[in-house]
Amino acid sequence: MKKITVNTADAACPCKLSALAPEAVAALHTVEQATGAGNDFLGWVNLPSSISEAELADINATAESLRRDCEVVVAIGIGGSYLGAKAVIEALDNAFAAYLPAQAGAPKVLFAGQNIGEDYLAELSSFLADKKFGIIVISKSGTTTEPAIAFRILKEQLERQLGKAEASRRIVAITDEKRGALRTLATSEGYKTFIIPDNVGGRFSVLTPVGLLPIAVAGHDIKALVAGAVEMEELTRSTGEDNPCLQYAEARNALYRDGKKIEILVNYNPKLHFFGEWWKQLYGESEGKDGKGIFPAAVDFSTDLHSMGQWIQEGERTIFETVISVEESAHTTIIPSDNDNLDGLNYIAGKRVDQVNKMAELGTRLAHVDGGVPNIRISLPALEERWLGQLIYFFEKACGISGYMLGVNPFNQPGVEAYKKNMFALLAKPGYEAETEAIQARLK
Ligand code: PA5
């Protein structure tokens, strides 16, 4: 069976990796048997294989109705309620989709609520003024400030443009089954809703309706995406060295223990830029706690070889890289021959652009390994739904294993609350009176 593979030959010596194997297998058992910290957030472990045909059909039917009625669908959400859908859509869409005309039947999926940029919201709102649009509002808690602000503004605009009743038919809410302000609002306005399971944290939720609905609205095959994830779910139950999650978790923990505190996720395909953003959240929020954790960064090569390349090659030797290598491009573009050859490129005339890209990848790997940057390589056959489904589940499972090897609870995120408390105090949110007084005294 074709599948994604992990190569750790340039990461650490095999003896170091095999020394960590028993620990990695124990961490795998902790994930599979739900015996570790945060075990009430393991709903993602068997999620792919538990998604029914009926659930996929409901998501596809909802997507189809939004696609039919809308030129633009705005997915509102932040963090885990945003990054997974954004990553998959960017990976699968035409790179110039944003510049094609908006049309019902093939709507653009835009995002909001992932920032508090006033200009961003004003410009989105004016872009939508003459468009048929719909909204997917996603918030597990139903109370997150950024998406709540965006939803309030865009809901009001949609109701102004269409009337309340028709607007309600173009809004889909994805939230907790029972709790939260969004659930209350969705019930009172009669929105179509989907549930984010209690036991699936935001950053592990891309294979729930949180990711699947926007991905389906963008016209991509969620059945194939889930099928890929199911394949990886089955493959990664193995306790043998054929389990790619064990290979990755062992390699990154061996490197961390050797002083490599920063991991850069590298792609050689610009369509994977947001996959790097999704991965950063998954690993950063899962592992960065208790004074521990590999710092996750992401770069796009060869673009960033012309900005970050110097640091990576010769800066402080505290980094390692994990390269996502896509075996086959979707298109073929041949470099033409030129009679004058003023640019000196005739030596690669007749080659595919991807052949040059692959040599950039190989040359960079050799240079970085020589320069003291260990390299883990994850190969996937192509940028298609099935392989992305495999890749998503692979990273999720490896994250749980790796977090337990690090000795943290990979499924909480207590540190995220600190900025919110200060922001609410500064905005004098009801219930934060004491904090408001304290923060104002501090700022005098
Ligand atoms: O991973 C997480 O839990 C967070 O990134 C959340 O997804 C993010 O804060 C958004 O939360 P909510 O979906 O409750 O609005």
Side-chain angles (χ1 to χ4, degrees), residues 55-68 73 85 88-89 92-93 105-109 111 136 194 206 208-223 225 385:
E55 281 171 275
L56 285 178
D58 189 15
I59 295 171
N60 273 326
T62 307
E64 207 34 61
S65 134
L66 285 169
R67 282 172 65 79
R68 202 176 42 239
V73 174
V88 174
I89 291 171
L92 295 173
D93 261 5
K108 289 182 193 318
V109 177
F111 292 86
I136 303 171
F194 289 95
V206 53
T208 72
V210 169
L212 297 180
L213 181 62
I215 293 166
V217 170
H220 303 301
D221 183 352
I222 56 171
K223 211 170 163 183
L225 187 80
E385 286 88 340

Side-chain angles (χ1 to χ4, degrees), residues 308-379:
M308 296 298 291
Q310 173 60 37
W311 198 103
I312 296 165
Q313 188 67 45
E314 293 183 347
E316 195 182 17
R317 300 298 70 190
T318 47
I319 59 168
F320 66 97
E321 63 187 7
T322 296
V323 175
I324 302 183
S325 182
V326 182
E327 284 160 25
E328 282 297 329
S329 297
H331 303 283
T332 301
T333 302
I334 304 292
I335 297 165
S337 177
D338 184 275
N339 284 344
D340 297 330
N341 194 28
L342 291 177
D343 53 14
L345 280 186
N346 274 355
Y347 76 104
I348 49 172
K351 287 195 192 302
R352 288 180 63 178
V353 171
D354 196 50
Q355 285 176 280
V356 180
N357 201 24
K358 291 286 189 292
M359 291 308 106
E361 183 179 329
L362 179 56
T364 305
R365 167 153 51 99
L366 297 172
H368 285 180
V369 170
D370 288 347
V373 181
N375 176 291
I376 300 171
R377 193 151 38 94
I378 297 167
S379 304

Side-chain angles (χ1 to χ4, degrees), residues 78-81 138-144 147 196 201-204 281 285 413 416 420:
I78 194 166
S81 292
I138 309 169
S139 177
K140 187 174 184 202
S141 62
T143 55
T144 307
I196 309 176
R203 57 188 175 275
F204 289 85
Q281 189 212 1
E285 232 171 53
Q413 55 283 330
V416 180
K420 292 185 193 166

Side-chain angles (χ1 to χ4, degrees), residues 212-443:
L212 297 180
L213 181 62
I215 293 166
V217 170
H220 303 301
D221 183 352
I222 56 171
K223 211 170 163 183
L225 187 80
V226 170
V230 172
E231 288 170 346
M232 198 41 65
E233 181 188 324
E234 281 159 11
L235 252 163
T236 57
R237 288 200 191 101
S238 159
T239 54
E241 268 307 306
D242 56 336
N243 181 336
C245 294
L246 294 176
Q247 295 168 350
Y248 180 51
E250 280 163 20
R252 61 199 301 283
N253 277 282
L255 291 164
Y256 181 66
R257 291 174 199 190
D258 258 2
K260 303 292 186 190
K261 307 287 185 192
I262 302 165
E263 177 176 9
I264 50 174
L265 190 79
V266 178
N267 71 72
Y268 283 83
N269 186 322
K271 291 182 175 210
L272 284 170
H273 173 81
F274 271 94
F275 205 88
E277 298 302 304
W278 170 81
W279 172 88
K280 271 168 33 185
Q281 189 212 1
L282 181 63
Y283 281 77
E285 232 171 53
S286 299
E287 294 192 327
K289 53 196 69 156
D290 307 335
K292 303 183 208 175
I294 298 170
F295 183 83
V299 286
D300 304 322
F301 283 175
S302 66
T303 310
D304 291 334
L305 286 172
H306 297 260
S307 64
M308 296 298 291
Q310 173 60 37
W311 198 103
I312 296 165
Q313 188 67 45
E314 293 183 347
E316 195 182 17
R317 300 298 70 190
T318 47
I319 59 168
F320 66 97
E321 63 187 7
T322 296
V323 175
I324 302 183
S325 182
V326 182
E327 284 160 25
E328 282 297 329
S329 297
H331 303 283
T332 301
T333 302
I334 304 292
I335 297 165
S337 177
D338 184 275
N339 284 344
D340 297 330
N341 194 28
L342 291 177
D343 53 14
L345 280 186
N346 274 355
Y347 76 104
I348 49 172
K351 287 195 192 302
R352 288 180 63 178
V353 171
D354 196 50
Q355 285 176 280
V356 180
N357 201 24
K358 291 286 189 292
M359 291 308 106
E361 183 179 329
L362 179 56
T364 305
R365 167 153 51 99
L366 297 172
H368 285 180
V369 170
D370 288 347
V373 181
N375 176 291
I376 300 171
R377 193 151 38 94
I378 297 167
S379 304
L380 67 158
L383 277 192
E384 291 167 6
E385 286 88 340
R386 178 178 170 193
W387 317 119
L388 287 172
Q390 287 196 359
L391 193 63
I392 286 167
Y393 188 85
F394 157 77
F395 274 128
E396 289 180 349
K397 183 80 151 273
C399 183
I401 296 169
S402 195
Y404 282 139
M405 290 176 76
L406 190 67
V408 299
N409 172 355
F411 307 112
N412 64 4
Q413 55 283 330
V416 180
E417 296 310 311
Y419 96 90
K420 292 185 193 166
K421 196 174 116 221
N422 287 343
M423 179 175 75
F424 294 149
L426 289 164
L427 290 168
K429 183 173 176 172
Y432 283 77
E433 290 74 11
E435 287 87 350
T436 300
E437 206 176 306
I439 207 160
Q440 276 170 357
R442 180 176 159 187
L443 293 174

